[in-house]
Amino acid sequence: MTDTPRSDARSDAPPADGATRVAAVDCGTNSIRLLVADVAADGSRLADLDRRMEIVRLGQGVDRTGRLAPEALERTFAACRQYAEAVTALGVDPAAVRFVATSASRDAENRDEFTAGVRELLGVTPEVITGDEEAQLSFTGATRGLPADGRGGDSLVVDIGGGSTECVLGADTVRAARSVDIGCVRLTERHLTDPDAGGGVPAGPPAPERVAALRADIEAALDLVEETVELRSA
């Protein structure tokens, strides 16, 4: 599955006066996203030039094996090749490219293979961020455009990813956050597929006991979240 690439500028068009052209890649457990944009000198405006998303399922089997699968790495690298072409075509300075990786990369024993491949293709070393850092970035991205006087107190941001879910509470800044391993890829492989069949997509509706086990896993994780984040206070 791919987002339709969007480009509002010619590849030879320079940034607007005072703006800086940047590129960001967000590599999660399930998808990898690219945004190329011109950022105003004062940081007040962001003009999108290209925005893309590919489902690469980098975290295939990581919950069970602790390693990034060769085929998952190749799918991710194929997307990175396309992103590198887009970044070059839009004239982004290599120093203005940031690549952030999350849950699957945090947990994988062979993350060095992933890091080396991305560095070769994009010329930038991936930042494998912690769950707390992911929570902070998720909160900033979700609330930055909201008017401060219209929130009515704290906002609760819930970022459901492929490998982890972040629950973040705050107003102007983060007051409390917790990252737990209940992402959609991780839970699907853990409860809804046959590990002996490679942990792929479920063939049909899951048995009631599997659904019950999945719910129990989620509820246990939310109990951990509530030790840190007052979920009902938003």
Side-chain angles (χ1 to χ4, degrees):
M1 183 182 298
T2 307
D3 270 0
T4 302
R6 184 177 72 200
S7 181
D8 301 321
R10 304 189 320 273
S11 61
D12 60 345
D17 291 345
T20 300
R21 184 157 296 175
V22 300
V25 180
D26 173 8
C27 186
T29 300
N30 196 43
S31 65
I32 182 169
R33 300 170 183 269
L34 168 71
L35 174 62
V36 182
D38 286 346
V39 182
D42 61 0
S44 62
R45 290 179 293 104
L46 190 74
D48 291 10
L49 301 176
D50 201 344
R51 183 188 291 267
R52 307 183 185 200
M53 188 271 284
E54 298 274 353
I55 300 295
V56 295
R57 204 176 177 89
L58 176 62
Q60 172 191 335
V62 168
D63 190 65
R64 178 171 53 87
T65 68
R67 297 181 62 82
L68 299 170
E71 59 270 31
L73 284 169
E74 185 47 47
R75 290 193 298 268
T76 304
F77 293 156
C80 287
R81 291 185 190 97
Q82 296 176 15
Y83 291 179
E85 292 173 0
V87 167
T88 300
L90 285 167
V92 182
D93 187 318
V97 179
R98 185 177 183 185
F99 190 115
V100 171
T102 56
S103 181
S105 306
R106 284 196 294 266
D107 296 347
E109 297 172 359
N110 59 334
R111 77 166 70 167
D112 289 347
E113 294 179 42
F114 166 73
T115 299
V118 170
R119 188 186 300 116
E120 179 180 350
L121 293 166
L122 280 163
V124 61
T125 299
E127 302 172 49
V128 181
I129 60 175
T130 66
D132 287 343
E133 289 172 316
E134 185 175 359
Q136 175 72 61
L137 290 171
S138 297
F139 184 84
T140 301
T143 63
R144 183 172 183 177
L146 299 177
D149 58 357
R151 295 185 197 173
D154 284 340
S155 297
L156 175 66
V157 173
V158 181
D159 180 5
I160 302 175
S164 65
T165 292
E166 285 69 47
C167 295
V168 198
L169 184 70
D172 295 330
T173 60
V174 172
R175 186 158 67 81
R178 188 70 180 263
S179 177
V180 285
D181 288 341
I182 53 169
C184 61
V185 172
R186 194 183 297 272
L187 290 182
T188 296
E189 293 185 350
R190 189 181 294 173
H191 296 292
L192 305 181
T193 62
D194 181 359
D196 296 331
V201 176
E209 59 270 19
R210 289 198 169 199
V211 175
L214 185 147
R215 287 182 179 275
D217 204 351
I218 294 171
E219 289 168 2
L222 291 177
D223 287 342
L224 288 176
V225 170
E226 288 195 299
E227 293 177 0
T228 308
V229 181
E230 300 171 17
L231 296 176
R232 295 172 177 80
S233 69

